[in-house]
Amino acid sequence: MELSPSLTWLLDEAGSAPSPEWFLAELGRRLLLDGMPIAGGALTLAAPHPIITRRTWLWRAETGEVIEALSFSNTLLREADGQWLLGLGPVEESIVGKPPGNATLGWAGARPFADSEGLCLKDVARFAAPSVAALSARAGLTALLEAYLGRRSAARVQAGAMTRGVGETIQAALLCADLRDFTALSEATEPAVMIAMLDAWFDRIAGAVHAFGGEVLKFMGDGVLAIFPVTSTPRSACEAALRAVSSARAGMAHLDSLRQDKGAPALPFGIAVHFGEILWGNVGAADRLDFTAIGPAVNLVSRLEGLCKPLGHSVLVSGAVAAEVVMPLVAAGEHQLRGIAKPCAVFTLV
């Protein structure tokens, strides 16, 4: 049996594809070289993720561009894929592999596909199944790691940074946030209601952190530790952290309004922001690791957050952050923090 160049590639080389988007674009390019009248393609994979159910990559032959679409409901994204493909031409779609993966591979034609071309595309789906299964497994692992570790930490772990004690020293703005009077509130609240309340709080904090380029490292009870690594300048990292704080405050004000409309109490909180060096890497037991940040800067931001309630402020900013940013801050004096040798200059937002 003589195979087309595309099928030979799927059989011999496609298994080493670095990503679903690369696989789809390269397969589409090779089908064009085989003379197939392809205008675009779509590859859909299931996603083991808390909120994303399926991921789809859409490729346009004219430009070679690949974009990604996400589905956040149990409805198969294939309906949306089909509409996108139909905008390019007649559609030929195939299930790739066997359940429970339910991957799909669809193609839009520059003209109606001939019967022989439709059969060829079905052969493409059959030969693509092993590579798509491998891509789906890698994409699923990435999604799971990102859900539990965060995007940057997950990338480090997947790159092989899994040895205990191995890490790197980086500069970052650190954000530490915590609900006030959480213990008393939890004792007076049903567990299911408490979990929903925590989720709403974490949505406001983590959503703001991610929106401004930060990464949540830990959820600790009702607390959050996040970092904004320096990727260009310390100022940009610190200002991104402060913008995230402002966004989180607005989100919490809206949440408190909703809670008060239902007769529930407001949720007081404290947020501290500091800038410094941290060791970012693996800490833990020989067979159970945590990818996290440690160092004096982490200790300081935690102690600074604990000062919010005594000083009567919901947000406190260290002098190290104030020295980097141009946005106006209000001085709140110098304070001795437990376990920190030198007094810390403290500021708050206007």
Side-chain angles (χ1 to χ4, degrees):
M1 176 181 179
E2 185 175 347
L3 299 178
S4 68
S6 294
L7 295 183
T8 302
W9 175 78
L10 285 170
L11 192 63
D12 294 337
E13 301 178 47
S16 60
S19 65
E21 54 266 43
W22 185 92
F23 171 83
L24 177 63
E26 183 63 14
L27 178 56
R29 186 184 71 82
R30 288 176 179 271
L31 287 172
L32 286 173
L33 291 176
D34 283 352
M36 293 292 292
I38 301 294
L43 173 63
T44 301
L45 302 177
H49 190 275
I51 58 173
I52 301 170
T53 57
R54 301 181 74 81
R55 300 174 68 188
T56 294
W57 292 268
L58 305 166
W59 168 76
R60 186 185 289 269
E62 183 180 5
T63 62
E65 181 184 12
V66 179
I67 60 174
E68 185 179 356
L70 304 176
S71 176
F72 298 93
S73 68
N74 290 326
T75 302
L76 293 182
L77 197 60
R78 290 177 59 191
E79 298 175 9
D81 303 345
Q83 292 300 317
W84 186 88
L85 289 171
L86 282 171
L88 300 178
V91 173
E92 183 79 29
E93 191 172 42
S94 304
I95 300 294
V96 181
K98 299 178 180 179
N102 291 330
T104 59
L105 191 60
W107 302 101
R111 57 166 173 75
F113 292 109
D115 290 344
S116 60
E117 292 167 342
L119 291 173
C120 177
L121 291 177
K122 285 181 170 54
D123 283 340
V124 166
R126 286 170 45 215
F127 277 75
S131 298
V132 169
L135 288 169
S136 181
R138 290 203 296 270
L141 176 61
T142 297
L144 285 172
L145 286 173
E146 289 181 357
Y148 284 92
L149 298 179
R151 178 165 293 183
R152 291 183 181 88
S153 298
R156 291 291 310 284
V157 170
Q158 281 193 291
M162 293 184 291
T163 304
R164 183 170 59 165
V166 171
E168 64 173 322
T169 299
I170 64 171
Q171 285 190 314
L174 295 93
L175 183 153
C176 184
D178 187 61
L179 284 179
R180 293 281 164 261
D181 304 320
F182 175 74
T183 301
L185 187 60
S186 63
E187 290 178 352
T189 307
E190 291 292 329
V193 176
M194 198 67 195
I195 290 174
M197 183 192 73
L198 280 174
D199 286 344
W201 152 246
F202 288 143
D203 277 343
R204 270 65 178 183
I205 294 296
V209 167
H210 294 151
F212 290 96
E215 178 166 327
V216 172
L217 289 185
K218 279 185 178 300
F219 295 112
M220 307 163 290
D222 61 320
V224 179
L225 176 63
I227 60 172
F228 295 77
V230 173
T231 56
S232 56
T233 64
R235 172 177 293 180
S236 64
C238 291
E239 291 188 343
L242 292 183
R243 286 193 292 271
V245 169
S246 296
S247 176
R249 285 206 306 179
M252 288 304 294
H254 180 253
L255 177 61
D256 283 343
S257 176
L258 295 177
R259 287 176 57 80
Q260 288 167 353
D261 287 344
K262 298 178 181 179
L267 296 176
F269 60 90
I271 303 177
V273 182
H274 178 52
F275 178 78
E277 285 191 345
I278 58 173
L279 178 63
W280 185 40
N282 286 307
V283 177
D287 59 350
R288 176 62 174 88
L289 298 174
D290 188 15
F291 203 91
T292 188
I294 60 173
V298 179
N299 297 335
L300 191 148
V301 75
S302 176
R303 302 301 188 208
L304 184 60
E305 188 278 324
L307 198 61
C308 288
K309 186 174 182 179
L311 293 186
H313 293 291
S314 61
V315 178
L316 292 179
V317 178
S318 74
V321 173
E324 297 290 347
V325 302
V326 295
M327 59 181 62
L329 298 171
V330 178
E334 285 198 349
H335 297 268
Q336 189 70 50
L337 303 176
R338 183 167 59 89
I340 306 299
K342 296 181 179 179
C344 178
V346 178
F347 297 80
T348 188
L349 299 182
V350 175

